[in-house]
Amino acid sequence: DIQMTQSPSSVSASVGDRVTITCRASQDISSWLAWYQQKPGKAPKLLIYAASTLQSGVPSRFSGSGSGTDFTLTISSLQPEDFATYYCQQANSFPLITFGQGTRLEIK
Amino acid sequence: EVQLVQSGAEVKKSGESLKISCRGFGYRFTNYWIHWVRQTPGKGLEWMGIIYPGDSDTKYNPSFQGQVSISVDRSTDSAYLQLNSLKASDTAIYYCARFYNNGPARKLDYWGQGTRVTVSS
């Protein structure tokens, strides 16, 4: 099975900061990676797919990069509504998918 | 507007069974795979299985095989997740999600609101 490891597990930041979250796959997954945002009591929301493609309606301050085993999600200028938990997810081994353990983004 | 609407919260006792529904609106239900995902505080998001409503092709995460059953009713555009012989460790939120798979895009683009299941002994 492909394991997905995110870092850090949690991060504190301020409004306006630039934040980067990393996701590492245990084997090559090409660009079959998506990022999701989840707020308390809500379902995950798709932000980015194919490693770097922004889902329709998602603000451009979110961006993704990487291929192979190493990926990043960057939020260029944090807004109050961005404080949430973020998950990466691989889709290389369709139909089986796996998620990272999550990164909690908190207000400093 | 695409929506997936799940059945409501459930409280069950150990050993009981449960069937959660996920109804699709606003798109051709038979054309997209539906994933089922479990979320617990301890293990995060776990993939349980997937079904293609068009032909009921179903695949399970080996970790859940034998403990769950996924089905579909095309007459109501609904997918179902059945949980058998419930244990306290099945206490979780269960999500269905639509899988969009076309070219370079493989993504869970729409999610149900989640069904909270509590299992007591």
Side-chain angles (χ1 to χ4, degrees), chain B residues 17-36:
Chain B
S17 297
L18 169 65
K19 199 170 188 178
I20 300 169
S21 66
C22 169
R23 188 169 184 181
F25 295 90
Y27 74 100
R28 185 158 289 187
F29 187 72
T30 51
N31 284 9
Y32 296 83
W33 293 84
I34 292 287
H35 283 278
W36 286 95

Side-chain angles (χ1 to χ4, degrees), chain B residues 40-101:
Chain B
T40 59
K43 293 190 175 182
L45 295 167
E46 297 175 279
W47 178 71
M48 302 180 74
I50 190 172
I51 190 165
Y52 188 71
D55 60 7
S56 299
D57 186 14
T58 308
K59 304 182 192 301
Y60 296 96
N61 182 335
S63 298
F64 291 94
Q65 187 104 35
Q67 302 167 52
V68 304
S69 178
I70 295 172
S71 60
V72 68
D73 182 347
R74 283 182 283 277
S75 70
T76 59
D77 287 348
S78 297
Y80 297 92
L81 174 70
Q82 178 156 335
L83 308 173
N84 302 313
S85 302
L86 288 164
K87 306 179 288 291
S89 57
D90 293 318
T91 295
I93 300 173
Y94 294 84
Y95 291 101
C96 61
R98 189 180 84 160
F99 185 56
Y100 180 96
N101 182 20

Side-chain angles (χ1 to χ4, degrees), chain A residues 28-34 49-52 66-68 71, chain B residues 104:
Chain A
D28 189 338
I29 60 168
S30 185
S31 295
W32 298 115
L33 185 98
Y49 63 94
S52 61
S67 66
F71 302 86

Side-chain angles (χ1 to χ4, degrees), chain A residues 1 31-34 36 38 41-46 49-50 55 87 89 91-101, chain B residues 33 35 37 39 44-47 50 59 61-63 95 99 101 103-114:
Chain A
D1 292 2
S31 295
W32 298 115
L33 185 98
Y36 300 85
Q38 188 178 32
K42 299 293 187 181
K45 172 189 172 185
L46 175 67
Y49 63 94
Q55 175 70 359
Y87 295 92
Q89 171 249 315
N92 181 73
S93 54
F94 176 81
L96 189 147
I97 60 173
T98 47
F99 295 87
Q101 81 279 15
Chain B
W33 293 84
H35 283 278
V37 175
Q39 185 168 35
L45 295 167
E46 297 175 279
W47 178 71
I50 190 172
K59 304 182 192 301
N61 182 335
S63 298
Y95 291 101
F99 185 56
N101 182 20
R106 289 181 186 172
K107 55 185 178 177
L108 278 64
D109 60 352
Y110 290 93
W111 293 65
Q113 81 276 21

